[in-house]
Amino acid sequence: MSVLVLVLAVAAACCLGFGFVLQQAAAAHAPKRDYLTFRLLLDLMKVRSWLAGIGLMVCGMVLGALALGKGEVSLVEPLLATNLLFAMTLSRHRTGQRLGRQGWAGLWLLAGGVAAFLLAGEPKGGQAVSSPLRHWLVVGVVAGLALLLTAFAKRRRSAASPALLAVAAGLLYGLQDALTRVSGQRFSEGGWAGLMTSWQPYAVLVLGVTGLLLVQSAFETGPLRTSLPALTAAQPLAGIACGIGFMGDQVRTDTGALAWQAAGLAAIVAGIVLLGLHPAMPEGPMGGRRTHSLQPR
């Protein structure tokens, strides 16, 4: 593993984790009428803390894109999942809660799961899949699943809606990461002309804006402990699926390696859930959303 890729990915995770905490703190006060509309983003733009969170998220996305430009999606995505550790750090500082057994267990499961997957799988680049059918099949399945989850959350608004929206956003972000790497390859091969004449950079923009709307709606309607774990778990799984599915990423496929990779991914998800349910995570609005307009602060 390249040390530069490791540093870039962990720095990206740090910015993303801190940014998500600031965004949720602001989105929790958004008016009820803004749910799943672009008016929510316009309303949140009046809040300085939300803009700071977006700034951190943009920095994280840029650092993540640089990491993806130098490493495989299947390598970078598990490292980006550690953003929850940094979100926990900031939340713990804001709430004054100690880690305790649950926090330490979640931390070691997440860190150990990432290490197990990377060491057992040994992700490396390969020949990108040339079959358009397989390419569009993977993209369609990921985007279609995100659309179904969003439609269900919008139609049947319940306590599960924030988690459903967060999973949908995580799927789109994982797909966005894969297409970001493809865009980087287009730029390397054909310069700006090659990049701007391909569809991938425009898809990256659309996925980014759509994912942002879904994330803020999830943050608006439920506590951070409900939405962030789902977002953090879905993104690397989608990214790895896309990396192997159409980008040609390769991992070891012998029985022992596959078992350790599966165990690593399971540990990542379990660690994310334990950290997300930790008392240090802000609970946000419970029993309903505030309906007053956001004021700059």
Side-chain angles (χ1 to χ4, degrees), residues 215-243:
V215 167
Q216 302 311 315
S217 294
F219 287 167
E220 177 200 13
T221 54
L224 194 66
R225 63 176 59 182
T226 301
S227 52
L228 190 54
L231 170 66
T232 307
Q235 182 173 349
L237 296 178
I240 291 170
C242 291

Side-chain angles (χ1 to χ4, degrees), residues 45-49 294-297:
M45 286 180 185
K46 304 172 184 176
V47 186
R48 288 190 293 272
S49 60
L294 290 166
Q295 297 297 326
R297 58 181 183 274

Side-chain angles (χ1 to χ4, degrees), residues 7-20 23 51-67 80 177:
V7 171
L8 288 172
V10 173
C14 178
C15 291
L16 291 172
F18 288 169
F20 286 144
Q23 290 170 43
L51 293 175
I54 289 296
L56 284 169
M57 188 179 76
V58 170
C59 288
M61 294 176 71
V62 171
L63 291 170
L66 292 174
L80 293 179
D177 289 340

Side-chain angles (χ1 to χ4, degrees), residues 2-143:
S2 167
V3 175
L4 179 59
V5 172
L6 175 63
V7 171
L8 288 172
V10 173
C14 178
C15 291
L16 291 172
F18 288 169
F20 286 144
V21 173
L22 294 178
Q23 290 170 43
Q24 196 275 337
H29 299 277
K32 181 179 179 180
R33 65 178 183 276
D34 288 353
Y35 182 68
L36 280 178
T37 67
F38 284 101
R39 187 169 55 243
L40 172 61
L41 300 182
L42 296 176
D43 217 354
L44 287 170
M45 286 180 185
K46 304 172 184 176
V47 186
R48 288 190 293 272
S49 60
W50 185 82
L51 293 175
I54 289 296
L56 284 169
M57 188 179 76
V58 170
C59 288
M61 294 176 71
V62 171
L63 291 170
L66 292 174
L68 288 166
K70 298 181 178 298
E72 289 68 45
V73 177
S74 300
L75 170 64
V76 175
E77 285 294 345
L79 294 172
L80 293 179
T82 60
N83 73 78
L84 192 61
L85 299 179
F86 297 99
M88 167 68 80
T89 300
L90 180 56
S91 293
R92 180 174 175 268
H93 174 73
R94 292 161 65 99
T95 60
Q97 291 279 350
R98 295 183 177 181
L99 280 179
R101 291 182 179 178
Q102 179 180 339
W104 283 110
L107 187 153
W108 284 111
L109 279 171
L110 178 55
V114 170
F117 178 83
L118 296 180
L119 291 174
E122 298 180 5
K124 58 184 179 180
Q127 187 65 35
V129 177
S130 58
S131 170
L133 177 60
R134 180 171 170 179
H135 191 116
W136 286 108
L137 180 62
V138 176
V139 172
V141 168
V142 175

Side-chain angles (χ1 to χ4, degrees), residues 189-257:
E189 296 168 359
W192 286 107
L195 178 65
M196 302 310 293
T197 54
S198 60
W199 61 270
Q200 285 86 357
Y202 306 103
V204 167
L205 180 61
V206 172
L207 290 171
V209 174
T210 305
L212 180 63
L213 175 61
L214 295 179
V215 167
Q216 302 311 315
S217 294
F219 287 167
E220 177 200 13
T221 54
L224 194 66
R225 63 176 59 182
T226 301
S227 52
L228 190 54
L231 170 66
T232 307
Q235 182 173 349
L237 296 178
I240 291 170
C242 291
I244 296 174
F246 64 80
M247 294 201 60
D249 286 2
Q250 298 177 1
V251 295
R252 291 174 56 192
T253 56
D254 55 278
T255 304

